């Protein structure tokens, strides 16, 4: 039966929830479980428990929502990676390949440790956008100082025999391979050897 004590929700804006955050949370999970193209804005609104009009009030189109999902985690992670790489660039001793890998990967691992389900959904979105070189992904990664340039600078010191185009080819392959491996983690096995 119907709960007589529950008052029906009145039409109009919700005041009981942070709507933009609820939309980004819902979109992150949906985009991580299916491709961005396969997820409708209506599905995101439904998952967040808001009217479709509320979604378009905060995010005028899917691109704006995807960018909000991407940037929420990418901006702080990017800052951490840049700081870690800058320390290696300025280090007196030449960094090891392990130092380089840890500088890039550990901020991403922290996201997975902190929030395995949503963090993994975000990682899948992040790597999918990187694979197709989505402009919003490139803007974030290329923000000054460029993570790729810092990485290449450290890689030159870690592997002094690698130069020029070969260096940048290795940078792209190595960075994307690390992130793809993280995005492919099996949640059931996460945290185990």
């Amino acid at each position: 039966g119907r709960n007589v004590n529950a008052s029906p929700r009145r039409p109009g804006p919700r005041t009981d929830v942070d709507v933009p955050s609820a939309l980004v949370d819902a979109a992150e999970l949906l985009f991580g479980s299916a491709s961005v193209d396969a997820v409708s804005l209506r599905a995101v609104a439904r998952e967040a428990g808001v009217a479709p009009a509320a979604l378009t009030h905060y995010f005028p189109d899917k691109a704006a929502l995807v960018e909000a999902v991407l940037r929420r985690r990418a901006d702080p992670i990017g800052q951490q990676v840049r700081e870690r790489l800058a320390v290696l660039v300025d280090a007196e001793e030449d960094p090891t390949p392990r130092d380089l890998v840890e500088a890039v990967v550990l901020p991403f691992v922290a996201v997975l440790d902190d929030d395995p389900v949503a963090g993994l959904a975000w990682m899948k979105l992040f790597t999918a956008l990187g694979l197709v070189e989505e402009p919003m992904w490139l803007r974030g990664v290329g923000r000054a100082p460029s993570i790729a340039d810092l990485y290449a600078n450290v890689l030159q010191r870690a592997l002094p025999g690698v130069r020029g185009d070969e260096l940048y080819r290795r940078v792209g392959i190595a960075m994307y391979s690390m992130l793809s491996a993280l995005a492919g983690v099996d949640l059931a096995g996460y945290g185990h050897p």
Side-chain angles (χ1 to χ4, degrees):
R2 186 169 184 246
N3 182 348
V4 293
N5 294 327
S7 60
R9 208 175 93 64
R10 294 187 186 123
R14 289 190 65 172
T15 57
D16 62 329
V17 69
D18 177 357
V19 175
S21 291
L23 289 165
V24 169
D25 290 345
E28 179 176 67
L29 291 172
L30 291 171
F31 293 154
S33 63
S35 71
V36 170
D37 292 338
V39 176
S40 71
L41 292 179
R42 186 172 294 282
V44 172
R46 185 173 46 249
E47 183 71 19
V50 301
L55 187 147
T56 55
H57 172 75
Y58 293 102
F59 304 102
D61 54 30
K62 191 184 279 188
L65 180 59
V66 171
E67 188 154 5
V69 171
L70 182 65
R71 292 191 67 177
R72 177 172 67 171
R73 294 186 196 267
D75 287 351
I77 289 172
Q79 185 59 37
Q80 290 173 34
V81 170
R82 284 178 182 87
E83 289 169 3
R84 289 168 162 273
L85 289 172
V87 166
L88 295 177
V89 166
D90 295 337
E92 287 187 28
E93 290 185 30
D94 285 343
T96 66
R98 181 186 183 109
D99 294 333
L100 186 55
V101 168
E102 287 181 352
V104 173
V105 172
L106 289 181
F108 288 91
V109 170
V111 167
L112 293 174
D113 283 343
D114 185 50
D115 189 354
V117 174
L120 181 58
W122 179 84
M123 280 292 306
K124 289 180 181 200
L125 173 66
F126 183 81
T127 55
L129 295 176
L131 181 62
V132 297
E133 296 185 339
E134 169 64 41
M136 72 180 80
W137 186 90
L138 291 172
R139 281 194 304 274
V141 171
R143 192 170 291 131
S146 162
I147 289 174
D149 289 341
L150 286 167
Y151 187 92
N153 190 319
V154 176
L155 185 61
Q156 278 184 325
R157 292 182 59 208
L159 301 172
V162 182
R163 293 280 182 256
D165 289 343
E166 178 67 15
L167 176 72
Y168 278 91
R169 196 170 19 263
R170 285 191 186 191
V171 166
I173 291 169
M175 288 182 68
Y176 194 77
S177 295
M178 287 186 285
L179 298 177
S180 293
L182 282 175
V185 73
D186 175 4
L187 276 181
Y190 188 69
H192 301 291

